[in-house]
Amino acid sequence: WNIENARKAYLLIADNKTEIPLIGKQTVNPDVTTDYIIEALALDEESSFREELQIGVFKECTVEFKADKYYIFPTIPVTLSWKVTNAKSIELNAESVEREGAKVVEPEKATAYILRADDEFGFKEKRIDIQMLPVPQVKTLLVPAPKKTNNLAVNIKQPRYNVSVKFPHIDIEWIKAEVPKVPSLADLGINVELTPPLPEFSLRRTIKRVFNQITKR
């Protein structure tokens, strides 16, 4: 400070009043906003003059700005959220917003979102870039062409079936499935003449009859 045409000068800080030289300086470190007053007594020692100076103390603003996703397909919704402290004004892409909040956007192309906060020392900006992922496209569909052949040879192999019939061989400890030797009537001394013709010989009936006789015995 530099005071002219004065007898005395005083510095008032809050409730403290200190006499100071008419020309001088002083270093202060206020923790809060403080008013500094210089009071000067005129040469007539009756009049006084006052000069006031206010030094404001403010905290620097803090900005938190984020998105729930940063790479999307077109029109996919994105949620932007933010929280700002110690700011005088806040804008999201030049639109005024509250100190804390969220907003859902659906960008159709790559878009930048800027959150700006103004405080006593200037402004701060945070930027979020939402990038677009390419949409999958099927440009070519290849189908193999069928092969054409004029000559067609078809070979059919007829299966051969085995129709041979095997008679079962019965081998039981106390039964022997063997055709017994039956003596003829001539061997037994009996001569019988059959008037009607003998029935046609059948191997199957003969075996069945012999097997029944063996079973009965």
Side-chain angles (χ1 to χ4, degrees):
W1 60 87
N2 186 2
I3 305 171
E4 297 179 351
N5 302 320
R7 291 283 186 182
K8 294 179 180 179
Y10 301 93
L11 177 62
L12 285 76
I13 304 175
D15 296 332
N16 296 326
K17 184 176 181 180
T18 305
E19 184 175 354
I20 57 175
L22 299 180
I23 299 175
K25 63 180 180 180
Q26 182 174 335
T27 301
V28 294
N29 297 296
D31 295 328
V32 296
T33 299
T34 306
D35 293 328
Y36 297 89
I37 303 173
I38 289 181
E39 186 179 86
L41 183 62
L43 294 176
D44 61 6
E45 297 184 357
E46 293 182 1
S47 303
S48 62
F49 301 88
R50 295 167 64 96
E51 187 72 25
E52 296 185 8
L53 175 65
Q54 184 181 75
I55 297 179
V57 177
F58 304 97
K59 293 182 179 180
E60 186 179 11
C61 72
T62 60
V63 180
E64 296 180 9
F65 189 34
K66 61 184 178 180
D68 63 340
K69 56 184 75 73
Y70 296 88
Y71 295 89
I72 62 170
F73 291 108
T75 69
I76 296 296
V78 177
T79 301
L80 304 174
S81 58
W82 63 89
K83 182 179 181 181
V84 182
T85 60
N86 305 321
K88 295 189 298 182
S89 62
I90 307 167
E91 293 181 352
L92 176 60
N93 281 19
E95 179 183 349
S96 180
V97 294
E98 298 295 329
R99 296 178 181 271
E100 185 175 356
K103 183 177 183 179
V104 178
V105 296
E106 298 181 1
E108 297 181 355
K109 59 181 181 179
T111 307
Y113 295 92
I114 300 175
L115 184 70
R116 171 172 173 154
D118 294 326
D119 61 10
E120 302 294 339
F121 308 101
F123 66 89
K124 284 186 177 181
E125 286 185 351
K126 287 290 183 71
R127 176 188 176 114
I128 288 180
D129 291 307
I130 305 299
Q131 303 293 339
M132 288 292 146
L133 296 173
V135 178
Q137 297 180 357
V138 180
K139 294 186 177 181
T140 305
L141 183 61
L142 300 178
V143 178
K147 295 182 179 180
K148 297 182 179 179
T149 304
N150 294 328
N151 298 327
L152 179 62
V154 179
N155 295 323
I156 299 177
K157 187 175 182 180
Q158 183 69 25
R160 301 181 62 183
Y161 299 97
N162 186 4
V163 297
S164 61
V165 178
K166 294 182 179 180
F167 290 96
H169 175 73
I170 303 175
D171 188 4
I172 303 177
E173 183 177 357
W174 55 277
I175 296 177
K176 297 294 183 178
E178 297 179 356
V179 179
K181 184 178 180 180
V182 180
S184 62
L185 295 177
D187 294 337
L188 296 175
I190 301 174
N191 187 11
V192 179
E193 294 182 358
L194 299 177
T195 302
L198 295 175
E200 184 180 356
F201 176 76
S202 173
L203 178 62
R204 182 178 180 182
R205 288 198 301 271
T206 302
I207 294 175
K208 184 177 181 181
R209 185 171 60 254
V210 172
F211 182 77
N212 291 336
Q213 292 178 358
I214 293 173
T215 303
K216 291 179 180 180
R217 291 182 181 180

